Amino acid sequence: MELAGELGIPFTTGLLIGIGETRRERIDAFLEIRALHRTYGHIQEVIVQNFRAKPATPMEEADDASADELLWTVAVGRILLGPDVNLQVPPNLSASDYPAYLDAGINDWGGVSPLTIDFVNPEAPWPALPDLQRNTRDKGFELKPRLPVYPEYFMGAMQWLPEPLRAKATSLADEDGYVKGGMERYAGRN
């Protein structure tokens, strides 16, 4: 992560919770991420993901991380990271209570796809886009498709991407840096 900062590469990192770590260790991880971001400005997002036991793995008998622990971790992450770092929780791993994570401080749902499954968690289907859009709107936010690099790392920010890549990202984006055509591009897809 530090090398990515030194090289000026927008970086995604995260915390997997419920694998035996303590709350103090999660706080320490957020503080390390914050320190790197304050030094280099390159942490574009932090994914907070709850552990889910899978068959035929060493932790198949372990309990899944609880919703309360995930909510606590997201809220602490938002406080410690501040408003400049994007905070994400995958909605498909949180069952029907996923809108609560917006209240806890996330501002991104991650790589939700109307076309593909979650290949890491195929047992956990994405919420249908109309449901995700409605639930997001009901919490006072707008669901917008984005590119893999966040708008603040290519819209008017010269140092983060080489010119050809910045030009390509800009050509795919609207004036706010989100995918041209917005959610209308995905109408009728679940």
Side-chain angles (χ1 to χ4, degrees), residues 24-105:
R24 179 71 231 179
E25 289 169 325
R26 289 183 222 155
I27 290 169
D28 290 344
F30 282 129
L31 291 173
E32 288 292 325
I33 293 166
R34 181 177 76 183
L36 285 169
H37 186 66
R38 285 182 174 173
T39 300
Y40 302 105
H42 71 305
I43 304 296
Q44 68 165 359
E45 80 180 326
V46 176
I47 303 167
V48 180
Q49 185 167 323
N50 49 319
F51 170 79
R52 292 176 52 128
K54 296 196 182 300
T57 66
M59 291 184 69
E60 69 181 329
E61 299 297 321
D63 291 333
D64 291 352
S66 73
D68 287 343
E69 283 300 307
L70 186 55
L71 283 165
W72 181 90
T73 304
V74 167
V76 168
R78 176 51 68 212
I79 291 166
L80 294 176
L81 297 173
D84 295 334
V85 174
N86 297 293
L87 197 55
Q88 178 194 125
V89 167
N92 61 316
L93 302 183
S94 310
S96 61
D97 63 351
Y98 68 85
Y101 299 100
L102 291 165
D103 294 331

Side-chain angles (χ1 to χ4, degrees), residues 52-182:
R52 292 176 52 128
K54 296 196 182 300
T57 66
M59 291 184 69
E60 69 181 329
E61 299 297 321
D63 291 333
D64 291 352
S66 73
D68 287 343
E69 283 300 307
L70 186 55
L71 283 165
W72 181 90
T73 304
V74 167
V76 168
R78 176 51 68 212
I79 291 166
L80 294 176
L81 297 173
D84 295 334
V85 174
N86 297 293
L87 197 55
Q88 178 194 125
V89 167
N92 61 316
L93 302 183
S94 310
S96 61
D97 63 351
Y98 68 85
Y101 299 100
L102 291 165
D103 294 331
I106 71 159
N107 64 323
D108 195 296
W109 290 122
V112 175
S113 173
L115 304 175
T116 64
I117 63 169
D118 178 341
F119 288 100
V120 176
N121 299 286
E123 76 286 356
W126 300 117
L129 283 181
D131 295 338
L132 186 63
Q133 189 172 20
R134 183 186 66 256
N135 287 326
T136 301
R137 186 177 48 246
D138 288 351
K139 291 289 186 179
F141 300 95
E142 183 181 354
L143 183 64
K144 297 180 183 179
R146 66 166 172 80
L147 299 170
V149 63
Y150 280 78
E152 56 267 33
Y153 289 91
F154 70 90
M155 297 291 291
M158 307 305 277
Q159 75 272 27
W160 297 108
L161 297 179
E163 178 50 38
L165 189 53
R166 189 172 50 255
K168 180 65 174 174
T170 303
S171 75
L172 296 170
D174 64 18
E175 63 278 356
D176 295 321
Y178 292 93
V179 174
K180 283 183 183 173

